[in-house]
Amino acid sequence: MPFPPPSRTPLGTPPGPRRRTLLASAAGAALLVGCTAEPDTTATSAGSPSVAERSRARAARDSTVLVRQYDTAIAAFPALAERLSELRAEVVRHAESFGGGGPAPTPTPTSTSTPTSASASPSASAVPASEQDALAGLAAAERTLVDRRTKALLEVPGELARLLASVAAAGAAHVYLLTEGAK
Protein backbone atom coordinates (compact mmCIF):
# COMPACT_ATOMS: atom_id res chain seq x y z
CA MET A 1 0.00 0.00 0.00
CA PRO A 2 1.47 3.35 -1.05
CA PHE A 3 1.67 6.23 1.40
CA PRO A 4 0.07 9.60 0.54
CA PRO A 5 2.48 12.40 -0.41
CA PRO A 6 3.74 14.44 2.53
CA SER A 7 1.75 17.54 3.47
CA ARG A 8 3.37 20.97 3.18
CA THR A 9 1.64 22.23 6.29
CA PRO A 10 3.54 22.15 9.57
CA LEU A 11 2.77 19.37 11.99
CA GLY A 12 -0.19 20.12 14.22
CA THR A 13 -1.88 22.43 11.67
CA PRO A 14 -5.45 21.35 11.04
CA PRO A 15 -6.30 20.47 7.46
CA GLY A 16 -8.44 22.86 5.42
CA PRO A 17 -8.14 26.30 3.95
CA ARG A 18 -5.66 28.67 5.51
CA ARG A 19 -6.68 31.81 7.34
CA ARG A 20 -5.26 34.06 4.59
CA THR A 21 -7.32 32.26 1.97
CA LEU A 22 -10.49 32.65 4.00
CA LEU A 23 -9.86 36.33 4.68
CA ALA A 24 -9.11 37.05 1.03
CA SER A 25 -12.26 35.20 -0.03
CA ALA A 26 -14.41 37.07 2.50
CA ALA A 27 -12.96 40.44 1.46
CA GLY A 28 -13.52 39.66 -2.21
CA ALA A 29 -17.10 38.60 -1.57
CA ALA A 30 -17.77 41.78 0.41
CA LEU A 31 -16.40 43.90 -2.40
CA LEU A 32 -18.55 42.12 -4.95
CA VAL A 33 -21.68 42.52 -2.85
CA GLY A 34 -20.94 46.18 -2.09
CA CYS A 35 -20.26 47.07 -5.71
CA THR A 36 -23.20 45.43 -7.37
CA ALA A 37 -25.63 47.85 -8.88
CA GLU A 38 -29.14 46.92 -7.92
CA PRO A 39 -32.06 48.66 -9.53
CA ASP A 40 -34.16 50.83 -7.26
CA THR A 41 -37.25 48.72 -6.80
CA THR A 42 -38.76 50.98 -4.18
CA ALA A 43 -40.83 52.98 -6.66
CA THR A 44 -44.47 52.04 -6.76
CA SER A 45 -46.36 51.11 -9.89
CA ALA A 46 -48.50 54.22 -9.52
CA GLY A 47 -45.45 56.35 -10.33
CA SER A 48 -44.91 57.82 -6.89
CA PRO A 49 -41.32 58.76 -6.04
CA SER A 50 -38.96 56.09 -4.77
CA VAL A 51 -37.40 56.10 -1.32
CA ALA A 52 -34.16 57.31 -2.90
CA GLU A 53 -35.87 60.20 -4.67
CA ARG A 54 -37.70 61.24 -1.51
CA SER A 55 -34.49 60.98 0.55
CA ARG A 56 -32.55 63.02 -1.99
CA ALA A 57 -35.25 65.72 -2.09
CA ARG A 58 -35.42 65.88 1.70
CA ALA A 59 -31.64 66.12 1.98
CA ALA A 60 -31.61 68.99 -0.53
CA ARG A 61 -34.43 70.75 1.35
CA ASP A 62 -32.69 70.23 4.71
CA SER A 63 -29.45 71.68 3.39
CA THR A 64 -31.27 74.67 1.92
CA VAL A 65 -32.95 75.37 5.27
CA LEU A 66 -29.56 75.07 6.97
CA VAL A 67 -28.09 77.62 4.55
CA ARG A 68 -30.85 80.00 5.61
CA GLN A 69 -29.89 79.46 9.24
CA TYR A 70 -26.30 80.36 8.38
CA ASP A 71 -27.62 83.45 6.57
CA THR A 72 -29.64 84.46 9.63
CA ALA A 73 -26.61 84.10 11.91
CA ILE A 74 -24.36 86.04 9.53
CA ALA A 75 -26.92 88.82 9.10
CA ALA A 76 -27.48 89.10 12.85
CA PHE A 77 -23.79 88.92 13.79
CA PRO A 78 -21.53 90.25 11.03
CA ALA A 79 -18.47 89.44 13.15
CA LEU A 80 -19.23 85.74 12.54
CA ALA A 81 -19.26 86.14 8.75
CA GLU A 82 -15.61 85.20 8.25
CA ARG A 83 -15.91 82.15 10.49
CA LEU A 84 -19.20 80.91 9.03
CA SER A 85 -18.83 81.73 5.33
CA GLU A 86 -16.79 78.63 4.46
CA LEU A 87 -19.13 76.31 6.36
CA ARG A 88 -22.09 77.96 4.64
CA ALA A 89 -20.45 77.51 1.23
CA GLU A 90 -20.04 73.79 1.95
CA VAL A 91 -23.69 73.47 2.92
CA VAL A 92 -24.62 75.18 -0.37
CA ARG A 93 -22.54 72.56 -2.22
CA HIS A 94 -24.32 69.82 -0.26
CA ALA A 95 -27.73 71.16 -1.32
CA GLU A 96 -26.57 71.27 -4.94
CA SER A 97 -25.13 67.74 -4.77
CA PHE A 98 -28.55 66.46 -3.70
CA GLY A 99 -30.10 68.20 -6.69
CA GLY A 100 -31.40 71.24 -4.89
CA GLY A 101 -31.13 74.66 -6.42
CA GLY A 102 -28.40 76.75 -4.93
CA PRO A 103 -29.62 79.26 -2.36
CA ALA A 104 -29.04 82.95 -2.90
CA PRO A 105 -25.54 84.29 -2.29
CA THR A 106 -24.59 85.22 1.25
CA PRO A 107 -26.45 88.37 2.18
CA THR A 108 -24.34 91.37 3.00
CA PRO A 109 -25.04 92.19 6.62
CA THR A 110 -26.71 95.55 7.18
CA SER A 111 -28.44 96.98 10.17
CA THR A 112 -31.78 96.95 8.35
CA SER A 113 -31.62 93.43 6.88
CA THR A 114 -34.03 90.96 8.35
CA PRO A 115 -33.71 87.44 6.96
CA THR A 116 -37.05 85.84 6.25
CA SER A 117 -37.97 82.47 4.89
CA ALA A 118 -41.48 81.20 4.38
CA SER A 119 -40.41 77.58 4.01
CA ALA A 120 -37.80 77.46 6.76
CA SER A 121 -38.54 75.86 10.07
CA PRO A 122 -39.39 78.18 12.98
CA SER A 123 -35.96 77.67 14.52
CA ALA A 124 -34.34 78.53 11.19
CA SER A 125 -35.97 81.97 11.00
CA ALA A 126 -35.59 82.93 14.67
CA VAL A 127 -32.82 85.45 15.22
CA PRO A 128 -30.46 84.25 17.96
CA ALA A 129 -29.90 86.48 20.97
CA SER A 130 -26.09 86.25 20.98
CA GLU A 131 -23.18 84.97 18.91
CA GLN A 132 -22.92 81.96 21.23
CA ASP A 133 -26.61 81.20 20.69
CA ALA A 134 -26.14 81.49 16.93
CA LEU A 135 -23.23 79.05 16.97
CA ALA A 136 -25.07 76.67 19.31
CA GLY A 137 -28.17 76.78 17.09
CA LEU A 138 -26.13 76.04 13.96
CA ALA A 139 -24.33 73.18 15.72
CA ALA A 140 -27.65 71.71 16.87
CA ALA A 141 -29.11 71.97 13.36
CA GLU A 142 -26.01 70.32 11.84
CA ARG A 143 -26.14 67.56 14.48
CA THR A 144 -29.82 66.89 13.72
CA LEU A 145 -29.03 66.54 10.01
CA VAL A 146 -26.07 64.25 10.73
CA ASP A 147 -28.37 61.96 12.71
CA ARG A 148 -31.14 62.04 10.09
CA ARG A 149 -28.76 61.33 7.22
CA THR A 150 -27.00 58.55 9.09
CA LYS A 151 -30.33 56.82 9.74
CA ALA A 152 -31.32 57.20 6.07
CA LEU A 153 -28.21 55.28 4.94
CA LEU A 154 -29.95 51.95 5.48
CA GLU A 155 -32.91 52.86 3.28
CA VAL A 156 -31.24 54.17 0.13
CA PRO A 157 -29.21 52.57 -2.67
CA GLY A 158 -25.41 52.62 -2.82
CA GLU A 159 -24.48 55.86 -4.56
CA LEU A 160 -26.96 57.97 -2.59
CA ALA A 161 -25.89 56.21 0.62
CA ARG A 162 -22.27 57.14 -0.08
CA LEU A 163 -23.27 60.76 -0.72
CA LEU A 164 -25.36 60.89 2.47
CA ALA A 165 -22.49 59.38 4.46
CA SER A 166 -20.03 61.89 3.05
CA VAL A 167 -22.30 64.86 3.76
CA ALA A 168 -23.07 63.52 7.26
CA ALA A 169 -19.34 63.30 7.95
CA ALA A 170 -18.89 66.87 6.76
CA GLY A 171 -21.78 67.91 9.00
CA ALA A 172 -20.11 66.23 11.97
CA ALA A 173 -16.96 68.20 11.21
CA HIS A 174 -19.06 71.38 11.09
CA VAL A 175 -20.48 70.55 14.53
CA TYR A 176 -16.96 70.18 15.87
CA LEU A 177 -15.81 73.46 14.31
CA LEU A 178 -18.87 75.31 15.58
CA THR A 179 -18.58 73.99 19.14
CA GLU A 180 -14.83 73.67 19.63
CA GLY A 181 -14.02 76.93 17.89
CA ALA A 182 -16.08 78.75 20.50
CA LYS A 183 -13.85 77.47 23.31
Side-chain angles (χ1 to χ4, degrees):
M1 169 181 224
F3 291 105
S7 173
R8 292 185 184 198
T9 59
L11 289 175
T13 304
R18 294 183 181 205
R19 189 176 333 160
R20 256 188 255 165
T21 306
L22 289 174
L23 290 174
S25 298
L31 285 174
L32 286 175
V33 169
C35 293
T36 58
E38 295 180 14
D40 184 11
T41 58
T42 56
T44 64
S45 60
S48 64
S50 68
V51 170
E53 291 167 344
R54 287 191 309 269
S55 295
R56 184 179 291 274
R58 180 172 188 171
R61 223 176 15 256
D62 288 345
S63 290
T64 301
V65 169
L66 184 58
V67 169
R68 290 186 190 120
Q69 286 183 262
Y70 274 95
D71 290 345
T72 300
I74 291 169
F77 304 102
L80 292 176
E82 183 178 339
R83 180 175 177 187
L84 298 179
S85 63
E86 296 222 10
L87 298 176
R88 181 199 181 276
E90 262 192 51
V91 176
V92 168
R93 285 190 295 273
H94 296 162
E96 291 169 350
S97 68
F98 288 118
T106 305
T108 53
T110 63
S111 59
T112 59
S113 67
T114 55
T116 59
S117 171
S119 63
S121 65
S123 63
S125 61
V127 177
S130 69
E131 287 184 7
Q132 271 26 55
D133 290 344
L135 294 174
L138 288 169
E142 290 269 16
R143 193 175 296 114
T144 298
L145 289 183
V146 167
D147 293 343
R148 183 178 301 151
R149 289 172 176 163
T150 302
K151 288 176 186 172
L153 291 175
L154 299 174
E155 301 170 358
V156 297
E159 193 61 36
L160 181 55
R162 285 185 282 278
L163 179 59
L164 281 171
S166 176
V167 172
H174 291 182
V175 171
Y176 176 80
L177 291 171
L178 290 165
T179 57
E180 293 301 314
K183 292 181 181 178

